[in-house]
Amino acid sequence: MTLLQLKYVVTVAEAGTISEAAKRLYLAQPSLTAAIKELESELGITIFQRTNKGILLSADGEEFLGYARQVMEQTRLIEERYLGAAQVKHQFCVSTQHYSFAVEAFVDLLKQYGGEEYDFRIRETQTYELIEDVAKLRSEVGVLYLNPFNETVLRKTLRENHLKFHRLFLARPHVFVSAFSPLAQKDVVTLEDLEPYPRLSYEQGEHNSFYFSEEILSTRESKKDILVSDRATLFNLLIGLNGYTICSGVINEELNGKNIVAVPLAVDDCMEIGYITHSKVGPGPFGIRYIEALKRYTAGREE
């Protein structure tokens, strides 16, 4: 197996067809096909499934592609540092539940290390997809929470996917509400205080188990439930409908504005917020720097 073969696999996956990849690589199509088949034979796996519409990554291929991208990124950094190679467009991806500190850390990473060209991605996504992203090495880091209700199921899911959870801080439950809501005037709110108001939650798609919910107390009955898929919509509905969402209480006024406030919730529960990484492949240089930024932005938040 050579670095050139890894480059071929990455290019074919990005191009979607052998013919398009061959053009990008300035190779004859039969030569590219032969090189990939030789690699598949050497590894004993099928990386690409050939169809009449092009090629598709197999399950083994998705995992291999994650490793290949890591190696190629490390190689580019070595070439830049020690061989004086021209800077290239670096790539990095993180998947996260909806936390402002995760966005702050991402902004910090870009400002310090983005360079002239980059392809950095942050995916605020559903919990199961977040886990899958890191398991399949589409993302180097994932950010989520554990608590007494979901911990057994999520830790089992993480183990099965060869992932490790690293704690950042422990948070007491809060609710996000509009600054104009009657609830915003309270020092502490109770579950009874919340009953007249709409409850907003992030939808979890096909894996809509209570254990994958982004909000604690997800099994509690509510007369008014609204599911959303993104943070901006949730915040707009908090303001427009005097709704609430149960959360960690960590909010950034610069990112989220002054119209959303966090109020402590009087329940005996907690959220252990942390990040996950692959146990077999360590984060690359940008992943390490992102984790350092996460720690800076969450330092001192332990309650």
Side-chain angles (χ1 to χ4, degrees):
M1 182 168 56
T2 66
L3 289 173
L4 195 57
Q5 286 174 312
L6 297 186
K7 182 180 180 180
Y8 290 168
V9 170
V10 171
T11 305
V12 171
E14 291 174 349
T17 65
I18 295 285
S19 58
E20 177 59 28
K23 290 179 185 176
R24 296 183 187 183
L25 292 164
Y26 302 102
L27 272 179
Q29 186 172 330
S31 299
L32 179 56
T33 300
I36 290 176
K37 285 185 176 179
E38 181 184 343
L39 180 60
E40 289 177 321
S41 176
E42 181 183 345
L43 298 176
I45 64 171
T46 298
I47 299 173
F48 295 110
Q49 295 171 339
R50 282 77 175 173
T51 72
N52 56 3
K53 295 182 179 180
I55 54 93
L56 296 172
L57 276 167
S58 67
D60 286 334
E62 282 196 11
E63 183 178 13
F64 180 79
L65 180 63
Y67 289 119
R69 282 175 171 156
Q70 290 265 20
V71 173
M72 295 307 297
E73 179 62 28
Q74 295 279 6
T75 302
R76 285 194 290 265
L77 288 169
I78 290 172
E79 288 173 345
E80 283 182 18
R81 171 117 189 206
Y82 297 105
L83 301 180
Q87 285 197 352
V88 296
K89 183 181 285 188
H90 295 296
Q91 296 182 330
F92 171 72
C93 184
V94 56
S95 295
T96 176
Q97 292 178 331
H98 298 76
Y99 298 121
S100 59
F101 68 84
V103 178
E104 289 179 280
F106 188 77
V107 171
D108 187 76
L109 177 69
L110 275 173
K111 285 182 175 178
Q112 291 197 55
Y113 304 108
E116 294 297 321
E117 295 185 27
Y118 51 78
D119 180 6
F120 280 21
R121 305 179 187 189
I122 180 166
R123 301 189 68 229
E124 287 191 330
T125 188
Q126 297 163 356
T127 303
Y128 190 87
E129 287 190 1
L130 183 164
I131 293 170
E132 195 173 55
D133 281 349
V134 184
K136 294 184 176 180
L137 299 172
R138 292 193 289 256
S139 292
E140 293 183 32
V141 183
V143 183
L144 47 64
Y145 85 94
L146 303 177
N147 82 324
F149 175 73
N150 71 10
E151 183 170 12
T152 300
V153 171
L154 286 194
R155 285 197 183 276
K156 180 176 182 291
T157 304
L158 295 178
R159 285 196 304 272
E160 290 172 348
N161 285 280
H162 309 292
L163 303 175
K164 295 188 292 185
F165 177 84
H166 313 265
R167 173 169 161 171
L168 286 168
F169 65 99
L170 192 68
R172 296 298 173 189
H174 288 66
V175 291
F176 282 158
V177 296
S178 163
F180 310 105
S181 167
L183 297 174
Q185 311 309 315
K186 294 179 174 289
D187 294 328
V188 179
V189 298
T190 66
L191 293 174
E192 290 71 28
D193 292 331
L194 299 176
E195 287 181 359
Y197 300 96
R199 178 176 67 182
L200 290 136
S201 307
Y202 290 107
E203 65 177 353
Q204 295 299 325
E206 294 179 7
H207 299 275
N208 197 25
S209 161
F210 291 122
Y211 298 109
F212 291 104
S213 172
E214 197 166 325
E215 302 79 25
I216 65 169
L217 304 176
S218 57
T219 57
R220 181 179 171 82
E221 287 294 323
S222 172
K223 294 179 182 178
K224 304 173 182 177
D225 265 315
I226 302 173
L227 294 179
V228 302
S229 60
D230 66 87
R231 189 148 43 114
T233 300
L234 183 140
F235 284 172
N236 286 336
L237 292 175
L238 288 183
I239 296 169
L241 298 174
N242 269 346
Y244 73 90
T245 188
I246 300 177
C247 61
S248 66
V250 180
I251 193 167
N252 179 292
E253 189 175 289
E254 290 183 13
L255 291 175
N256 301 313
K258 299 180 179 180
N259 292 330
I260 303 296
V261 298
V263 183
L265 179 61
V267 293
D268 184 19
D269 209 331
C270 63
M271 299 174 71
E272 184 182 6
I273 298 176
Y275 63 92
I276 58 173
T277 56
H278 203 290
S279 61
K280 294 185 177 181
V281 183
F286 295 111
I288 292 170
R289 289 163 179 166
Y290 180 73
I291 291 167
E292 291 171 351
L294 280 178
K295 292 177 178 178
R296 285 196 301 274
Y297 280 101
T298 58
R301 294 194 184 274
E302 192 82 23
E303 297 189 11

